């Protein structure tokens, strides 16, 4: 019989058990901080890194390589955590992430740094997926908003503090410290996990079978397809031989994945992930969430600097405010979904997000800084009502032995949506610019010209139009998520009794 008891068991007094669980929660927050800080701290040090190591033409792979490694390993770590337990997977992932951080700090050229960033990403996939799974293991359904609110706070604080910390370390110490700072944080997390995390004993099969062939196929397929999406339209045109070759190889590998997984005794991506209505609906909705998140996170800083004339720090502030309202509304969402259910709460959130995204193209030109900031505050608030109820709800529909795989599939779909969105909306923005400027260049080259003071006012208007088009596309992604939940997700999630 499936056991869904919390991951902490202590035979001593209740107070000691509470302290033990508190220590594990602190470890999870530290582990999540490693992944959250990495998303923001590196970007501010890029000028110093390029100035020291060179490699300006390929520096984007500092981010793309890490993202690829995280995305393709998520389903693998999810299955491994269901097979062997959360603790060994989290410990191994944190160790690999810290090894990658140490190697990054010692990189001697850009190629080495990119390779070591991929090593970091191989550990980062375990951090993101396993921390979210353990959060559901630690608390029963009624108390899960507590831990999720704390993890959301980690992301909010990291979004604000990461760029500033990265800038300070790069300017007053050395860019290598942005990787070395991970070591004490990770060491503290590892110590707390090893000392205080004790998972319950559960029935095991005589021999745990790991689908290593499926893991390799998933890794290869995801790596090839995501590389095609990340580099298409950037390093080469979409119709070029490299793009067509990678896309063709990726589709062929996708067929291999299906073939291998259908024959595996314990597949890495089991078929029930897509056969169950609730999980399939949440997966698709999170894919749309990843897609729409690209509009503010990638294009709003460019809009703030090029159209509003703000500096980099002020532009970052306009963006990061959405993390504050996101975490706050996520913490309060329990009062809504306990009354009307997970699906209807998410529908309210994503429906309101559609309206907020549609409002962006109606901002006046050039406008004031507070106008997009106000929309970002509203967007974060409504997305908090969307994301947290869905992830808590879907985790509550499965038992312990399926929770890691389910959580990883949801996060995998969100990461894939972000990758697809970066490529899709980049093409949209560049297409609008080409139409407005007669093929004068892409968004990146036009933005550089603006920052150097050599571009006319018409170029600013063209960038505004391009970003407006991206936001319309993001609104379409939000509307798609709304329809998926409305048509596919059950009104009441089939929550298991704990």
């Amino acid at each position: 019989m499936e056991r869904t008891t919390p991951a902490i068991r202590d035979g001593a007094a209740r107070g000691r058990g509470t302290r033990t669980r508190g220590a594990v929660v602190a470890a999870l927050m530290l582990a999540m901080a490693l992944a959250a800080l990495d998303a923001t701290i590196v970007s501010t040090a890029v000028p110093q890194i390029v100035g020291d190591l060179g490699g300006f033409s390929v520096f984007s792979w500092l981010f793309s390589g890490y993202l690829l490694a995280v995305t393709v390993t998520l389903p693998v770590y999810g299955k491994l955590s269901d097979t062997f337990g959360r603790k060994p997977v989290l410990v191994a992932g944190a160790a690999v992430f810290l090894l990658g951080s140490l190697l990054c700090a010692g990189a001697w050229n850009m190629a080495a740094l990119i390779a070591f960033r991929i090593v970091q990403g191989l550990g980062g996939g375990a951090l993101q997926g396993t921390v979210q799974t353990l959060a559901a293991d630690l608390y029963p359904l009624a108390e899960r908003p507590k831990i999720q609110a704390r993890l959301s706070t980690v992301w909010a604080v990291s979004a604000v503090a990461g760029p500033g910390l990265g800038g300070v370390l790069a300017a007053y110490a050395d860019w290598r410290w942005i990787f070395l700072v991970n070591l004490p944080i990770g060491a503290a997390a590892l110590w707390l996990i090893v000392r205080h995390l004790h998972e319950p004993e559960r029935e095991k099969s005589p021999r745990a079978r790991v689908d290593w062939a499926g893991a390799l196929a998933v890794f290869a397929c995801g790596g090839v397809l995501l590389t095609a999406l990340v580099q298409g339209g950037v390093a080469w045109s979409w119709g070029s031989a490299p793009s067509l070759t990678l896309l063709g190889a990726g589709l062929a590998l996708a067929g291999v994945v299906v073939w291998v997984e259908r024959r595996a005794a314990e597949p890495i991506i089991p078929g029930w992930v897509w056969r169950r209505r609730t999980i399939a609906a949440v997966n698709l909705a999170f894919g749309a969430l990843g897609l729409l998140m690209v509009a503010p996170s990638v294009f709003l800083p460019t809009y703030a600097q090029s159209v509003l004339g703000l500096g980099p720090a002020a532009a970052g502030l306009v963006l990061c405010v959405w993390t504050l309202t996101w975490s706050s509304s996520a913490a309060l969402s329990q009062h809504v979904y306990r009354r009307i259910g997970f699906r209807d709460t998410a529908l309210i959130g994503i429906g309101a997000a559609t309206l907020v995204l549609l409002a962006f193209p109606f901002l006046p030109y050039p406008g004031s800084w507070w106008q997009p900031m106000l929309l970002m505050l509203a967007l974060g608030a409504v997305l908090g009502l969307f994301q947290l109820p869905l992830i808590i709800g879907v985790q509550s529909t499965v038992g312990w032995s399926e929770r890691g795989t389910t959580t990883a599939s949801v996060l995998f779909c969100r990461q894939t949506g972000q990758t697809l969105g970066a490529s899709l909306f980049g093409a949209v923005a560049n297409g609008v610019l080409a139409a407005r400027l007669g093929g004068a260049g892409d968004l990146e080259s036009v933005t550089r010209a603006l920052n150097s003071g050599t571009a006319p006012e018409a170029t600013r208007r063209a960038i505004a139009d391009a970003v407006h088009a991206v936001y319309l596309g993001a609104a379409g992604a939000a509307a798609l998520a709304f329809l998926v939940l409305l048509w596919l997700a059950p009104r009441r999630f089939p929550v298991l009794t704990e």
Side-chain angles (χ1 to χ4, degrees), residues 167-179:
V168 168
L169 291 175
Y172 299 103
D174 188 272
W175 64 264
R176 299 178 190 274
W177 278 99
I178 67 175
F179 300 107

Side-chain angles (χ1 to χ4, degrees), residues 375-386:
L375 288 182
M376 291 304 296
L377 286 169
L379 185 62
V382 296
L383 287 179
L385 289 177
F386 171 73

Side-chain angles (χ1 to χ4, degrees), residues 353-369:
T354 305
L355 298 178
V356 173
L357 292 165
L358 284 174
F360 192 92
F362 293 97
L363 292 178
Y365 177 87
S368 301
W369 60 269

Side-chain angles (χ1 to χ4, degrees), residues 258-292:
V258 173
W259 184 82
V260 170
E261 295 297 81
R262 291 185 66 178
R263 285 158 178 76
E266 295 289 340
I268 291 293
I269 304 180
W272 54 260
V273 168
W274 293 103
R275 286 195 298 267
R276 299 180 191 175
R277 284 179 58 199
T278 305
I279 301 175
V282 174
N283 281 343
L284 293 174
F286 265 67
L289 173 66
L291 199 67
L292 72 87

Side-chain angles (χ1 to χ4, degrees), residues 294-310:
V294 170
S297 59
V298 175
F299 293 91
L300 184 60
T302 295
Y303 179 90
Q305 294 182 66
S306 302
V307 178
L308 303 181
L310 302 179

Side-chain angles (χ1 to χ4, degrees), residues 97-269:
F97 185 91
L98 294 180
L99 173 63
S101 299
L102 185 62
L103 292 172
C104 286
W108 54 90
N109 58 33
M110 185 61 75
L113 183 58
I114 290 171
F116 298 148
R117 282 283 286 168
I118 293 174
V119 174
Q120 259 193 318
L122 295 177
L127 294 179
Q128 290 195 27
T130 313
V131 166
Q132 289 284 1
T133 305
L134 265 170
D137 290 343
L138 279 169
Y139 289 87
L141 175 58
E143 299 180 27
R144 276 176 200 155
K146 295 180 181 179
I147 180 63
Q148 289 292 348
R150 293 176 185 177
L151 295 178
S152 296
T153 301
V154 170
W155 280 97
V157 171
S158 299
V160 176
L165 179 61
V168 168
L169 291 175
Y172 299 103
D174 188 272
W175 64 264
R176 299 178 190 274
W177 278 99
I178 67 175
F179 300 107
L180 292 174
V181 75
N182 291 332
L183 300 182
I185 299 173
L190 275 174
W191 183 80
L192 290 171
I193 291 166
V194 171
R195 181 177 176 83
H196 295 289
L197 177 59
H198 307 291
E199 296 185 276
E201 293 184 6
R202 54 191 183 277
E203 296 181 5
K204 297 181 181 179
S205 59
R207 185 184 218 173
R209 303 169 105 185
V210 179
D211 178 24
W212 294 116
L216 180 60
V218 168
F219 192 88
C221 176
V224 170
L225 283 177
L226 292 175
T227 299
L229 292 174
V230 168
Q231 294 297 96
V234 179
W236 47 70
S237 65
W238 286 107
S240 65
S243 275
L244 295 177
T245 300
L246 285 173
L247 288 172
L251 292 176
L253 286 169
V256 172
V257 169
V258 173
W259 184 82
V260 170
E261 295 297 81
R262 291 185 66 178
R263 285 158 178 76
E266 295 289 340
I268 291 293
I269 304 180

Side-chain angles (χ1 to χ4, degrees), residues 57-137:
S57 61
V58 294
F59 85 88
S60 63
W61 271 99
L62 291 177
F63 309 97
S64 300
Y66 179 85
L67 175 65
L68 289 172
V70 168
T71 303
V72 299
T73 54
L74 273 169
V76 177
Y77 284 126
K79 183 61 179 179
L80 291 178
S81 74
D82 284 343
T83 304
F84 298 107
R86 325 298 189 210
K87 183 175 181 177
V89 172
L90 186 55
V91 168
V96 171
F97 185 91
L98 294 180
L99 173 63
S101 299
L102 185 62
L103 292 172
C104 286
W108 54 90
N109 58 33
M110 185 61 75
L113 183 58
I114 290 171
F116 298 148
R117 282 283 286 168
I118 293 174
V119 174
Q120 259 193 318
L122 295 177
L127 294 179
Q128 290 195 27
T130 313
V131 166
Q132 289 284 1
T133 305
L134 265 170
D137 290 343

